Amino acid sequence: AASGFEKRWLIKNYIEIIKFLIEKKHRKFLIISGSDQFNEEEIIRKNFDNLDITFTSEKKIKDIIPHLIKCKFCVGNDTGFAHLSINLNIDTFIIYGDCPPQLYSDLIHPIDIENNIERSEKSIHNINVDEVKNKLSNFLNWRDGRVV
C-alpha cells in the first residue's frame, strides 16, 4: 500500500520478489494494498494462484493487524504499514525513493536509491530488484544461521 505514485515500487518488481521468496521455500504471504489497489492484487492473484496469500485492499486496518503480527519479516514501500511492522518488532525492508531513509530502529533494512540519483517522485523506480533480492538473501541466510 502507498498513498501516492512516488511511494509505489512497481508491481512487477514485487512479483519478482515473491518468486524469489518462493524459491527460498516461503509459502504464506500478506499483501498489504490500499483500497485503490485491487487491480494490482488481481495481477498477483493470477500469477500465484497456488499460494496462501492474504490480500487487504478490501479490509480495514483493524482486520489487517492480526495478519501483520504473524509476519516473519516485511518488504514494502515507505508507508505507514512498513513503519507499523517495525513497531510490531518485525524486521522490515523499506524501499525508499522520494524521501531519505528514517533509521530509528535496528529492524529497518533500508533499500535506497544510489547516491548519484536525485530524489524525486520517480526515483523509487531506479531501485533494482536484484538489490532487494540480495538484501533479503543476506537476511534470510543470517536468520537461518548460515554464513553470509
Side-chain angles (χ1 to χ4, degrees):
S3 56
F5 174 77
E6 69 280 358
K7 300 266 187 215
R8 291 183 184 178
W9 203 43
L10 297 175
I11 193 70
K12 69 177 186 158
N13 295 337
Y14 280 111
I15 288 172
E16 291 302 313
I17 296 303
I18 293 169
K19 288 177 183 176
F20 169 78
L21 290 170
I22 290 169
E23 289 173 12
K24 300 289 185 184
K25 307 296 185 222
H26 292 269
R27 295 288 181 265
K28 265 184 116 164
F29 295 85
L30 172 64
I31 307 296
I32 298 179
S33 306
S35 60
D36 64 336
Q37 293 178 297
F38 180 81
N39 291 337
E40 282 126 334
E41 287 181 343
E42 282 300 303
I43 293 168
I44 293 171
R45 194 176 275 117
K46 287 177 184 175
N47 275 276
F48 304 104
D49 61 355
N50 60 339
L51 288 180
D52 184 356
I53 302 178
T54 300
F55 293 98
T56 64
S57 68
E58 297 179 330
K59 294 184 184 300
K60 299 206 177 288
I61 292 174
K62 68 180 178 85
D63 299 322
I64 298 170
I65 291 174
H67 295 283
L68 184 58
I69 288 170
K70 296 177 188 175
C71 290
K72 304 220 184 287
F73 59 92
C74 174
V75 179
N77 305 318
D78 177 21
T79 64
F81 274 105
H83 296 284
L84 178 60
S85 70
I86 293 158
N87 284 289
L88 294 171
N89 207 31
I90 299 168
D91 279 285
T92 304
F93 295 80
I94 300 179
I95 302 168
Y96 291 94
D98 67 327
C99 295
Q102 302 161 359
L103 303 174
Y104 56 86
S105 170
D106 290 342
L107 295 170
I108 297 173
H109 304 272
I111 302 166
D112 197 13
I113 59 174
E114 298 291 327
N115 288 335
N116 62 341
I117 296 175
E118 186 176 327
R119 291 199 189 277
S120 73
E121 63 184 33
K122 296 180 182 178
S123 57
I124 194 168
H125 303 298
N126 290 296
I127 295 174
N128 186 300
V129 173
D130 288 333
E131 181 181 350
V132 178
K133 286 181 186 178
N134 287 338
K135 288 198 178 211
L136 276 170
S137 184
N138 288 339
F139 169 77
L140 294 171
N141 287 336
W142 170 82
R143 188 191 68 180
D144 295 341
R146 290 180 239 143
V147 176
V148 180

